[in-house]
Amino acid sequence: MIARRRVLPRPRVLLGVLLAASFLSVLVVQAYINAEFTGDHVESEVGDQAAVPPAILDGGPIINTTGGQESTSRLPDRTIALTFDDGPDPAWTPKILDVLRRHDAHATFFVVGSQVARHPTIAKEIVTGGNELGLHTFTHPNMQRLAPWRRELELSQTQMAIAKATGARTHLARFPYSSKNAAIDEVNWRLVQEAGALGYLVVVNDTDSEDWKRPGVEKIIQNATPAGDRSAVMLFHDAGGDRSQTVAALDEFIPRMKARGYRFTTVTEGLNLTIAGQAAKTHSPLPLNPAAPGSDKWRGTALIWTVNLADGLVALIAGLFLVVGTLTVGRTLLLLVLATRNARQRRSPAWTWGPPVTEPVSVIVPAYNEKEGIEAAVRSLAGGDHTRIEVVVVDDGSTDGTADLVDRMRLPNVRVVRVPNGGKPNALNTGVALARHDLIVMVDGDTVFEPDSLRLLVQPFADPTVGAVAGNVKVGNRETTVALWQHIEYVIGFNLDRRLYEVMNCMPTVPGAIGAFRRTALAQVGGVSDETLAEDTDVTMAMCRAGWRVVYEEKARAWTEAPTTMEQLYRQRYRWSYGTMQAMWKHRGALLDSGPSGRFGRVGLPFLALFGLALPMLAPVVDIMLVYGLVFWELGETVAAWFGMLALQLFTAAVAFRLDRESYRPLLRLPLQQFAYRQLMYLVLLQSATTALTGGRLRWHKLNRAGLAPRSPALDRTAADRGRVPVTPITPSRGPLTPPPGP
């Protein structure tokens, strides 16, 4: 039968692509409206002026190239048109409007479209106050550096934003970085002609207050004041920084000029006065803030929504970046203080759990299609150096002959129980029911123990308050990059955290690969539940709530086969993260409980939510901000910030590797891990959260094992002796699944 080709990508791949595309789109939009394309915002020198008509260079500040004409206009004598660039600004524009109202003066505000989209109510206030609006482009670029289509877009987008915010449109435009007529060169002249073809009058200025330099109130007034009784279109700014000097200067300048007989108008009002005073009336008076067509209002609505969405999402990303930084630093400090204290305490010569624990141990091995690794696992367990060991392999309906392989080994302290496939919790409970001893060790079917692992694992039971013990899981197959990344994660994210959790007495998970339990503790919590896909986390949380201590024994090491492909890793972590979320939801009642349960609920659950779910889910924000910063922000500052975060992670990793007595060499691949592995974990958590929130169900994903029998130096050294380890024979049992008699 011919396999059908997959036409569409896998859902999680599609989800990742869509998320990446969405973030990229938002960042590009945000960079555009924030004018982050720095190459577009460089002031140009005045070039060749040979093709610019002398009448334009020596003319008035209002330039008309509509309909192919080339003319300029000045305001009548003793007429001032105050103009303000770069707004509206939520802090300074309202203060300038107050000054204008107080002195009964009007002005023209050449607004930036992106600012109108952000502050539409202020733009509306400008118009309702009798002032007028002009275009100052949408993102304040140097128009000389833009393609023609982009130049037209800069003007049309601003027009649409004004239409939605005020219901009006404008026929005035002023280009960023423009000044006076005498500074118009051939390039700028073409821009003026383009604007005229679109129906705009281009406005430059007669006097420049240079308020952006903040030279002082008197200097601003001096710069703005025209000579004699001449008219002037004056340039001020109502945005772009501290404009307190501008506000103070206007408050003095307006009454001072009125005392000299000057009147204050908008550009359009002044132009109409000029037209009315001409003997030959070639122009009709222009309306002030004419009504905008409905189509511009609709498009302006979409534009403002887009700007607000981009602003909101980028603000969210920036906030999440701050959260990630805070959580990372907080976790590092906690680990340094608590985890290292735990490690120092354990390595003290005086440290002991109590009298040596020599009680017999029952090892439960749930096995479903584990033929690749079951023999190595069982042999390592049966040959442990503990005083007395029984191994119960519960074959959970395997179809690959797993049980037969174990039977053929004929190890005297190993027995096989065959049950219909019912899931891992059922297999574990069956093994516990058949176990002869009160100390129970649960082991995955692909896990290899070192000879002393079982003995070391049960030593904490010398303390009667200990109900469960987590062992030290090691990745045995570190040949591939994917497996090596997991080795790094096991050391940093699991083992180091367990030291911390033990000190805080809120251990959330005893790993399924190597964990020990008291039978009485298991019985108290009802055994291993099948209500979640993370049965190890579920039962551990239940024990913490019941008041049992759960501790970590770093010396008890178990070697496991980690997934070697991204696909297998994704399946495994999807189940783990989804199961953890299920367990947290199941035990949410602990938040309101008293006693040990309440302590776990108010310490363990929030800690796990913050550092086990929120931090890894939000970690890619660091890389998003890195990409954004590399393209749109200061390169040096961005790289320094990212390397600072990486250095903090490397420091934490180095501490963890030292405590685990591991080689530092794998940490050379930690930077690369930031760009692939972390993103995969993000998608895993995102899909898990989506599945949980939508009420979806996730089936158990069986990983494909390659039989890469994990090895360690200790195993290699004792390989020759493993067959000579004395074992205590037990009689195989095929009886009913009933618990043994009490102790």
Side-chain angles (χ1 to χ4, degrees):
M1 183 177 179
I2 300 176
R4 296 173 61 185
R5 291 184 59 188
R6 178 182 290 273
V7 178
L8 296 175
R10 297 181 183 277
R12 59 178 169 273
V13 175
L14 185 60
L15 175 65
V17 171
L18 289 176
L19 283 173
S22 299
F23 273 120
L24 179 62
S25 300
V26 168
L27 292 178
V28 170
V29 169
Q30 178 69 7
Y32 169 64
I33 62 181
N34 274 353
E36 300 286 2
F37 298 95
T38 54
D40 296 345
H41 302 269
V42 178
E43 189 170 359
S44 302
E45 298 292 332
V46 177
D48 192 358
Q49 296 179 308
V52 183
I56 300 298
L57 293 173
D58 300 327
I62 306 171
I63 306 172
N64 187 351
T65 57
T66 61
Q69 61 182 303
E70 298 175 354
S71 64
T72 68
S73 298
R74 293 185 184 277
L75 303 184
D77 288 344
R78 294 194 179 188
T79 303
I80 291 176
L82 297 172
T83 65
F84 298 90
D85 286 4
D86 299 347
D89 182 270
W92 300 110
T93 303
K95 295 180 180 180
I96 290 173
L97 290 175
D98 287 341
V99 173
L100 295 176
R101 277 193 294 268
R102 191 161 56 248
H103 297 291
D104 191 23
H106 295 150
T108 301
F109 290 78
F110 287 94
V111 293
V112 176
S114 58
Q115 288 298 97
V116 173
R118 291 185 173 111
H119 311 292
T121 56
I122 300 177
K124 180 70 172 178
E125 185 181 353
I126 292 173
V127 173
T128 56
N131 306 286
E132 76 171 331
L133 299 176
L135 307 183
H136 200 46
T137 70
F138 193 77
T139 64
H140 201 277
N142 186 334
M143 297 284 272
Q144 297 182 31
R145 295 174 173 267
L146 305 185
W149 67 267
R150 172 84 184 278
R151 293 197 289 263
E152 182 175 350
L153 189 66
E154 287 283 334
L155 298 177
S156 64
Q157 286 181 324
T158 308
Q159 194 75 267
M160 287 185 288
I162 291 174
K164 172 57 182 174
T166 68
R169 68 186 316 274
T170 180
H171 48 261
L172 305 179
R174 174 180 283 167
F175 302 141
Y177 310 106
S178 62
S179 57
K180 300 179 181 181
N181 296 64
I184 298 175
D185 58 17
E186 292 181 1
V187 176
N188 278 307
W189 176 237
R190 286 196 297 271
L191 300 182
V192 172
Q193 290 176 309
E194 285 181 9
L198 296 173
Y200 295 107
L201 302 177
V202 175
V203 181
V204 289
N205 64 82
D206 292 304
T207 62
D208 185 354
S209 68
E210 296 187 351
D211 59 341
W212 58 274
K213 294 182 179 179
R214 295 196 288 276
V217 171
E218 283 302 323
K219 185 61 175 177
I220 291 174
I221 294 175
Q222 179 184 338
N223 291 337
T225 303
D229 294 334
R230 297 183 64 180
S231 65
V233 173
M234 297 180 178
L235 175 59
F236 291 87
H237 296 82
D238 63 328
D242 184 353
R243 294 291 172 252
S244 57
Q245 291 185 10
T246 303
V247 175
L250 287 170
D251 211 14
E252 294 185 24
F253 178 71
I254 296 174
R256 186 183 301 183
M257 298 308 292
K258 280 189 173 184
R260 290 176 50 181
Y262 274 85
R263 59 187 169 186
F264 288 83
T265 72
T266 65
V267 170
T268 296
E269 290 171 339
L271 181 60
N272 287 338
L273 290 171
T274 300
I275 294 173
Q278 292 174 349
K281 297 182 177 59
T282 56
H283 302 284
S284 301
L286 296 173
L288 185 69
N289 299 319
S295 59
D296 279 2
K297 295 179 183 179
W298 281 106
R299 286 183 291 176
T301 300
L303 183 65
I304 290 177
W305 284 356
T306 301
V307 171
N308 291 336
L309 176 63
D311 282 346
L313 287 180
V314 171
L316 176 63
I317 293 173
L320 293 178
F321 180 80
L322 180 62
V323 170
V324 169
T326 302
L327 289 177
T328 301
V329 173
R331 178 179 180 270
T332 302
L333 292 176
L334 283 172
L335 289 171
L336 289 177
V337 173
L338 300 182
T340 55
R341 187 180 77 181
N342 173 268
R344 287 195 303 268
Q345 181 186 45
R346 295 293 178 81
R347 291 177 183 176
S348 169
W351 165 257
T352 178
W353 289 106
V357 175
T358 58
E359 300 173 40
V361 175
S362 294
V363 183
I364 313 302
V365 186
Y368 173 72
N369 289 347
E370 296 284 1
K371 68 175 182 179
E372 291 83 4
I374 192 66
E375 292 177 285
V378 170
R379 187 172 289 110
S380 71
L381 296 168
D385 64 3
H386 190 61
T387 54
R388 187 176 180 187
I389 303 169
E390 72 159 345
V391 179
V392 181
V393 178
V394 183
D395 184 86
D396 188 29
S398 296
T399 58
D400 65 348
T402 296
D404 295 333
L405 288 174
V406 179
D407 274 337
R408 284 197 293 268
M409 294 173 69
R410 299 187 181 280
L411 297 175
N413 60 337
V414 177
R415 54 181 165 143
V416 179
V417 178
R418 293 174 170 84
V419 297
N421 182 254
K424 186 175 180 180
N426 178 68
L428 288 171
N429 287 327
T430 299
V432 172
L434 292 173
R436 289 185 165 86
H437 309 304
D438 290 329
L439 297 185
I440 307 293
V441 173
M442 297 182 182
V443 182
D444 286 341
D446 64 323
T447 303
V448 174
F449 274 38
E450 294 186 355
D452 59 357
S453 293
L454 272 174
R455 173 174 54 80
L456 295 172
L457 183 64
V458 298
Q459 294 309 305
F461 289 124
D463 182 345
T465 66
V466 173
V469 184
N472 188 341
V473 183
K474 294 291 184 183
V475 174
N477 55 322
R478 305 177 187 178
E479 292 78 15
T480 67
T481 298
V482 174
L484 190 61
W485 283 342
Q486 292 170 81
H487 164 56
I488 296 173
E489 182 187 25
Y490 273 56
V491 176
I492 303 173
F494 297 156
N495 294 344
L496 189 59
D497 281 356
R498 287 192 180 106
R499 300 177 192 273
L500 175 63
Y501 284 127
E502 181 186 325
V503 174
M504 298 176 64
N505 195 24
C506 60
M507 184 86 68
T509 305
V510 169
I514 176 170
F517 302 85
R518 288 187 191 273
R519 181 188 293 274
T520 52
L522 280 173
Q524 185 176 349
V525 300
V528 182
S529 172
D530 62 357
E531 295 177 354
T532 73
L533 289 179
E535 75 291 330
D536 47 3
T537 299
D538 189 358
V539 71
T540 307
M541 289 183 175
M543 286 193 170
C544 289
R545 296 183 65 184
W548 291 98
R549 282 188 65 204
V550 181
V551 299
Y552 172 57
E553 178 48 74
E554 61 176 286
K555 296 178 182 178
R557 301 194 296 181
W559 296 78
T560 188
E561 179 184 339
T564 56
T565 67
M566 298 296 274
E567 172 71 20
Q568 288 290 306
L569 176 63
Y570 192 99
R571 288 177 176 272
Q572 181 193 67
R573 297 310 169 84
Y574 184 22
R575 176 176 62 82
W576 284 7
S577 60
Y578 181 74
T580 299
M581 292 177 188
Q582 284 181 311
M584 292 175 67
W585 181 253
K586 176 181 176 180
H587 295 282
R588 66 190 184 278
L591 291 168
L592 302 177
D593 284 348
S594 58
S597 179
R599 185 185 185 284
F600 176 78
R602 289 183 287 277
V603 176
L605 288 180
F607 201 88
L608 183 60
L610 285 175
F611 297 104
L613 297 179
L615 183 56
M617 186 180 289
L618 299 176
V621 169
V622 175
D623 300 318
I624 292 173
M625 297 302 286
L626 169 66
V627 173
Y628 188 81
L630 289 176
V631 178
F632 303 119
W633 288 344
E634 291 294 331
L635 178 63
E637 295 178 2
T638 300
V639 172
W642 187 82
F643 272 104
M645 294 289 290
L646 179 61
L648 188 61
Q649 294 182 49
L650 281 170
F651 176 71
T652 305
V655 172
F657 270 63
R658 180 175 180 179
L659 295 180
D660 253 29
R661 304 175 190 270
E662 290 281 355
S663 167
Y664 294 124
R665 186 180 298 274
L667 295 182
L668 295 175
R669 302 196 193 184
L670 185 61
L672 180 61
Q673 188 183 39
Q674 311 302 302
F675 296 100
Y677 191 84
R678 190 164 64 190
Q679 281 62 37
L680 181 70
M681 294 302 102
Y682 169 72
L683 290 177
V684 166
L685 287 168
L686 183 62
Q687 187 174 0
S688 300
T690 302
T691 303
L693 291 173
T694 57
R697 301 294 298 174
L698 177 65
R699 64 183 179 86
W700 185 282
H701 295 300
K702 178 71 173 71
L703 298 181
N704 297 325
R705 300 297 182 186
L708 306 175
R711 310 295 294 178
S712 75
L715 288 173
D716 292 334
R717 285 194 301 270
T718 58
D721 299 328
R722 192 174 287 116
R724 297 195 296 271
V725 174
V727 295
T728 304
I730 59 175
T731 304
S733 170
R734 293 290 188 270
L737 306 183
T738 56

